[in-house]
Amino acid sequence: GKVDPGEWDGIPAVANLTCVAGSGIDVSSVTAADLSARARFQWDQDNLYYLVEINDQEHVQTQKPALSWQEDSLQMAINQENSELDRNQFEWAFFLDSEGAKSIAFTASTGEPLSQVSPFAIVRDELAKRTVYEGELAWADLGSMKVVLTKEGMRFGLTFLVNDGDSGARKWVEWSPGIGNTKDTRDFPELILGSTDNDPIVRDTFSDGDYVANPQWTMEDPNPATVDWCVVREGENPHLEAIEAEGARLWVGLGELQ
């Protein structure tokens, strides 16, 4: 929870999150000071590391672990489907209550909670109105991921959301749908463990219809076989891939988009 200088320098942040509000809350009234967050990820042969920094005017967590999602907390989920018999699926909540930092597994294909080899810390700064979650997910806790000898190139879905319940009604900011309103792993962005300073490559896929309908993107795709598009943020060089029906990926530089 206490970020050491230089520890996360150069790691790209996921900061373009969507605010979702419960009944009685106007999303347009939620400011960045009310609730905003950014996350970073990196990895090595033993762990996936995460850092989530949150701006929140008031920290409230009084719920039992199973209901921690109703108030201030972090939910994170991972999904990897290798075959019908080999699926790694997890969802956890991390939260800070009066007793300290805690976690609970809502879903775990291993049937086990996170072990001591996946430590984490949560630090609340009341003066700065800021909460920091920092920790590591050991591959040893993530099912068959632990037996992959070379982690570089490994793919899996990952998403997260940050809950805020201090207004009496829950709202949250999310990287993608899939764990907030509904449970659907198909909505998770795909992470590919890259080789540049052990940063993950982030892939965020959306439909061809979404691409064509976006007025900010004027470049036309001449190939009718395109079924999906994928924004790839690899370090400082984001690009776009057109995904064809047969699985081929065509690289397009984001600089070409208007």
Side-chain angles (χ1 to χ4, degrees), residues 80 82 86-90 109-110 138-148:
Q80 184 190 57
N82 300 312
D86 182 10
R87 182 176 184 183
N88 299 309
Q89 186 174 18
F90 303 90
S109 52
T110 59
W139 302 122
D141 279 344
L142 302 183
S144 63
M145 291 186 185
K146 66 184 177 184
V147 301
V148 178

Side-chain angles (χ1 to χ4, degrees), residues 38-56:
R38 65 177 184 175
R40 292 183 170 92
F41 300 93
Q42 54 184 321
W43 65 280
D44 60 24
Q45 283 296 116
D46 298 314
N47 306 292
L48 175 69
Y49 303 90
Y50 60 90
L51 172 69
V52 183
E53 301 168 288
I54 301 164
N55 295 314
D56 180 15

Side-chain angles (χ1 to χ4, degrees), residues 1 50 93-95 101-103 114 118-122 133-136:
Y50 60 90
F94 303 90
F95 58 98
K102 299 178 181 178
S103 71
L114 290 172
S118 294
F120 65 95
I122 308 171
Y133 295 71
E134 186 176 21
E136 52 197 72

Side-chain angles (χ1 to χ4, degrees), residues 17 77 88-89 149 159 182 192 200 213:
L17 308 183
N88 299 309
Q89 186 174 18
L149 296 180
T159 195
T182 60
I192 302 174

Side-chain angles (χ1 to χ4, degrees), residues 213-253:
N214 192 323
Q216 296 179 343
W217 297 347
T218 59
M219 193 180 70
E220 296 182 359
D221 173 35
N223 190 341
T226 298
V227 292
D228 287 302
W229 293 85
C230 187
V231 176
V232 182
R233 294 180 289 276
E234 184 174 1
E236 300 299 322
N237 301 300
H239 68 271
L240 188 72
E241 289 180 346
I243 305 173
E244 311 305 317
E246 70 277 10
R249 292 175 179 263
L250 306 180
W251 189 92
V252 179

Side-chain angles (χ1 to χ4, degrees), residues 123-145:
V123 174
R124 172 66 179 177
D125 185 333
E126 286 294 349
L127 184 62
K129 306 297 183 184
R130 186 168 176 262
T131 308
V132 176
Y133 295 71
E134 186 176 21
E136 52 197 72
L137 299 172
W139 302 122
D141 279 344
L142 302 183
S144 63
M145 291 186 185

Side-chain angles (χ1 to χ4, degrees), residues 154-232:
M154 187 165 67
R155 299 167 178 251
F156 53 91
L158 182 150
T159 195
F160 69 91
L161 63 79
V162 175
N163 292 303
D164 183 20
D166 53 37
S167 62
R170 178 190 178 215
K171 60 182 180 290
W172 67 90
V173 288
E174 62 183 21
W175 189 9
S176 76
I179 56 175
N181 278 325
T182 60
K183 303 295 184 183
D184 192 340
T185 59
R186 294 172 298 181
D187 290 328
F188 292 10
E190 182 183 46
L191 265 67
I192 302 174
L193 301 185
S195 60
T196 306
D197 296 325
N198 287 347
D199 299 342
I201 301 172
V202 180
R203 295 180 182 269
D204 200 354
T205 304
F206 50 94
S207 72
D208 189 38
D210 290 339
Y211 177 86
V212 174
N214 192 323
Q216 296 179 343
W217 297 347
T218 59
M219 193 180 70
E220 296 182 359
D221 173 35
N223 190 341
T226 298
V227 292
D228 287 302
W229 293 85
C230 187
V231 176
V232 182

